[in-house]
């Protein structure tokens, strides 16, 4: 799936401006599905409008330029249905922290500890966001998504905490091997 499909999915649930779609897809509840950059959303919306899958209206704002609000139409819903019926691609997991781990032989254990502490805080922050999101999903049939996300992130956090010493000692062991070789 791509940014185009993500925009249709967001518009299926609510009318939105390009800015709102960007916020929802980078920081909000849609941030977990498709990698959408600021520069990819507006071209996708323009193409969706050109293809007759969404419409837009101008809304006046006091002391500001009018804002363009997008709405999905029935052709857009049908396109969304078609896209959602396609087999999803495998999930992708990328982590800069894992790159630190891969190259931990270049670092002192204190550097790895610092990276580990920051990574742990980031995971904890993600859990806070998921818990906040739970309120907006209460009572919805898709509320299982919040539980799934919480379970995955909590398992990640638990593993990192349980293996903290192992992670740190890997850089110390590499340092010991390097010192012995010199």
């Amino acid at each position: 799936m791509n940014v185009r499909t993500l925009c249709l999915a967001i518009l299926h649930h609510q009318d939105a401006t390009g800015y709102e779609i960007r916020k929802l897809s980078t920081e909000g509840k849609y941030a977990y599905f498709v990698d959408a950059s600021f520069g990819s959303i507006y071209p996708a919306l323009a193409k969706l409008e050109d293809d007759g899958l969404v419409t837009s209206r101008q809304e006046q704002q006091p002391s500001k330029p009018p804002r363009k609000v997008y709405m999905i139409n029935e052709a857009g819903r049908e396109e969304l249905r078609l896209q959602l019926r396609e087999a999803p691609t495998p999930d992708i997991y990328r982590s800069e922290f894992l790159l630190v781990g891969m190259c931990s032989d270049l670092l002192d254990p204190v550097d790895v500890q610092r990276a580990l502490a920051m990574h742990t805080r980031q995971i904890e922050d993600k859990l806070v966001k998921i818990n906040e999101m739970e309120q907006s999903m209460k009572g919805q049939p898709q509320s299982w998504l919040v539980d799934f996300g919480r379970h995955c992130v909590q398992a990640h956090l638990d593993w990192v905490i349980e293996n903290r010493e192992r992670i740190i000692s890997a850089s110390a062991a590499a340092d010991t091997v390097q010192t012995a070789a010199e």
Side-chain angles (χ1 to χ4, degrees), residues 34-99:
V34 175
D35 188 22
S37 68
F38 185 72
S40 64
I41 292 169
Y42 285 99
L45 288 169
K47 181 82 169 106
L48 287 168
E49 193 166 23
D50 288 347
D51 292 346
L53 302 174
V54 301
T55 58
S56 66
R57 68 178 183 272
Q58 296 285 326
E59 284 187 357
Q60 298 300 320
Q61 303 180 93
S63 308
K64 293 181 184 176
R67 62 188 212 142
K68 191 173 189 177
V69 179
Y70 294 89
M71 297 127 325
I72 193 170
N73 57 31
E74 195 48 47
R77 278 185 181 54
E78 186 55 35
E79 176 65 19
L80 178 59
R81 281 185 204 97
L82 289 171
Q83 293 298 315
L84 294 173
R85 286 181 183 131
E86 290 185 15
T89 59
D91 291 342
I92 297 170
Y93 182 80
R94 291 186 173 98
S95 168
E96 291 182 14
F97 174 71
L98 292 180
L99 181 59

Side-chain angles (χ1 to χ4, degrees), residues 8-29:
L8 287 172
I10 292 170
L11 293 172
H12 167 68
H13 290 102
Q14 68 186 70
D15 296 351
T17 64
Y19 175 78
E20 291 166 337
I21 291 171
R22 184 190 70 77
K23 290 284 280 181
L24 286 167
S25 62
T26 58
E27 301 169 22
K29 65 183 179 183

Side-chain angles (χ1 to χ4, degrees), residues 172-182:
D175 192 40
T176 304
V177 169
Q178 187 175 18
T179 304
E182 294 170 354

Side-chain angles (χ1 to χ4, degrees), residues 115-172:
L116 182 60
M118 184 178 297
H119 186 63
T120 302
R121 277 192 305 276
Q122 291 166 344
I123 300 168
E124 291 167 343
D125 290 347
K126 198 178 287 186
L127 275 172
V128 168
K129 281 185 179 180
I130 289 170
N131 289 332
E132 290 169 355
M133 201 179 305
E134 182 176 33
Q135 296 307 311
S136 69
M137 299 288 288
K138 259 207 187 344
Q140 294 182 19
Q142 299 88 352
S143 63
W144 66 268
L145 293 164
V146 175
D147 292 335
F148 178 81
R150 182 184 302 109
H151 176 79
C152 292
V153 174
Q154 186 65 56
H156 182 168
L157 180 61
D158 293 345
W159 191 94
V160 167
I161 291 170
E162 289 168 16
N163 289 278
R164 184 178 189 286
E165 293 308 317
R166 180 177 166 202
I167 295 166
I168 294 167
S169 67
S171 65

